[in-house]
């Protein structure tokens, strides 16, 4: 396990830069998987705000417009929140593809199944389909809108982020709910623990999406977090949340996962 420590904290909002990777040719054995893609949210991606990962306003939380809602086999009950995927349209299978183009998107939402429709006639997110419902600005980088649904090749790719892992505080005086964002590397979180200045270290559990909870009253305490990503690497952020924190505030430091 990789472990890092940072003694300082900062209160800030950062808009992270989107990453771009050029994929190998579709026929190469580069770990690519087949799937399909559609788009939603309009040209300004305003319809993609919020979502099942809990990131809220995707501009303010640093994820921008290169985002996607995943079908449930890819979403994995929220465990995929924050993961990055490089996606290219399969030009050999559709006339609507922009040949040779790719985009890297972040998983920020769930595309729920619609069992009233078959998987071949509108139920694009029905299991076991592996589908990405992309924000329109991202989709337009690989295909034409008139294609509606297009075949794609996709693969997981490291997430590139500016600044450190971010913690946004919510909950009540009796429990704490922490939204963890701006995670580099795998982009997704596997486990979290928290230690207050007056309490022992305690594990947190996933409440929903990227929100982690502790059933303990931690107000008035400085908080240290240990965050483990889905590669098993851990960063420890010491006293990243100061004792004067309030619900709704976000805190970060220079600690980040390597890509």
């Amino acid at each position: 396990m990789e472990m890092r420590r940072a003694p300082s904290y900062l209160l800030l909002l950062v808009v992270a830069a989107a990453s771009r990777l050029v994929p190998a040719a579709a026929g190469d054995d580069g770990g690519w998987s087949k799937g399909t893609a559609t788009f939603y949210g309009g040209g300004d991606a305003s319809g993609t705000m919020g979502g099942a990962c809990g990131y809220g306003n995707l501009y303010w939380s640093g994820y921008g417009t290169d985002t996607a809602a995943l079908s449930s086999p890819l979403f994995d009950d929220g465990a995929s929140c924050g993961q990055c995927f490089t996606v290219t349209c399969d030009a050999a299978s559709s006339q609507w593809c922009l040949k040779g183009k790719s985009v890297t998107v972040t998983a920020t939402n769930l595309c729920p199944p619609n069992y009233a429709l078959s998987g071949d006639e509108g139920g694009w997110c029905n299991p076991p389909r592996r589908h990405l419902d992309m924000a329109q600005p991202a989709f337009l980088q690989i295909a034409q809108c008139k294609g509606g649904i297009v075949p794609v090749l996709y693969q997981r790719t490291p997430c590139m982020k500016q600044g450190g892992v971010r913690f946004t505080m919510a909950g009540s005086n009796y429990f704490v709910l922490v939204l963890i964002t701006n995670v580099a590397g795998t982009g997704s979180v596997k486990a979290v623990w928290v230690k207050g200045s007056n309490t022992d270290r305690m594990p947190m559990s996933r409440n929903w999406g990227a929100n982690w909870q502790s059933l303990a009253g931690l107000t008035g305490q400085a908080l240290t977090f240990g965050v483990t990503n889905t590669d098993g690497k851990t960063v420890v952020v010491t006293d990243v949340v100061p004792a004067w924190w309030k619900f709704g505030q976000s805190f970060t430091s220079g600690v980040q996962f390597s890509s």
Side-chain angles (χ1 to χ4, degrees):
M1 274 191 184
E2 176 181 304
M3 186 170 289
R4 300 177 184 177
R5 296 182 179 271
S8 60
Y9 56 81
L10 294 170
L11 171 61
L12 76 164
L13 292 170
V14 178
V15 177
S19 58
R20 289 287 185 278
L21 295 178
V22 178
D28 293 347
D29 184 11
W32 294 84
S33 299
K34 291 184 177 181
T36 49
T38 49
F39 66 89
Y40 75 118
D44 62 355
S46 59
T48 67
M49 299 297 114
C53 290
Y55 294 137
N57 186 310
L58 298 179
Y59 299 122
W60 287 106
S61 57
Y63 295 101
T65 61
D66 288 346
T67 60
L70 307 183
S71 61
S72 52
L74 291 175
F75 189 70
D76 193 19
D77 292 327
S80 296
C81 286
Q83 291 181 0
C84 296
F85 297 83
T86 297
V87 187
T88 184
C89 193
D90 187 359
S93 302
S94 175
Q95 63 177 317
W96 307 117
C97 295
L98 301 181
K99 190 174 181 180
K101 301 294 184 180
S102 68
V103 62
T104 297
V105 296
T106 303
T108 58
N109 202 354
L110 167 69
C111 183
N114 182 356
Y115 294 113
L117 301 173
S118 75
D120 295 326
E121 294 293 338
W124 311 128
C125 290
N126 293 354
R129 292 183 65 106
R130 303 176 77 80
H131 185 83
L132 297 94
D133 195 16
M134 302 167 65
Q136 187 180 127
F139 183 88
L140 289 176
Q141 295 180 57
I142 62 168
Q144 300 178 52
C145 274
K146 65 180 68 175
I149 179 171
V150 295
V152 297
L153 300 169
Y154 69 91
Q155 69 173 358
R156 285 274 306 279
T157 192
C159 298
M160 309 297 178
K161 300 295 178 184
Q162 294 180 343
V165 179
R166 189 174 304 119
F167 304 85
T168 300
M169 309 302 296
S172 74
N173 290 334
Y174 305 102
F175 79 100
V176 170
L177 188 67
V178 183
L179 173 65
I180 300 178
T181 59
N182 204 51
V183 179
T186 65
S188 50
V189 176
K190 180 180 180 180
V192 184
W193 57 258
V194 61
K195 183 186 183 307
S197 51
N198 299 321
T199 62
D200 294 331
R201 191 173 102 172
M202 62 191 79
M204 304 186 76
S205 59
R206 189 189 303 276
N207 184 291
W208 64 282
N211 289 276
W212 293 78
Q213 69 178 12
S214 172
L215 300 179
L218 296 172
T219 55
Q221 299 184 54
L223 304 180
T224 294
F225 290 94
V227 181
T228 302
N229 70 8
T230 45
D231 274 352
K233 298 177 180 178
T234 299
V235 295
V236 175
V237 191
T238 303
D239 294 341
V240 63
V241 176
W244 47 260
W245 66 269
K246 304 294 183 184
F247 295 117
Q249 290 181 320
S250 296
F251 300 87
T252 192
S253 77
V255 175
Q256 184 56 272
F257 290 95
S258 59
S259 298

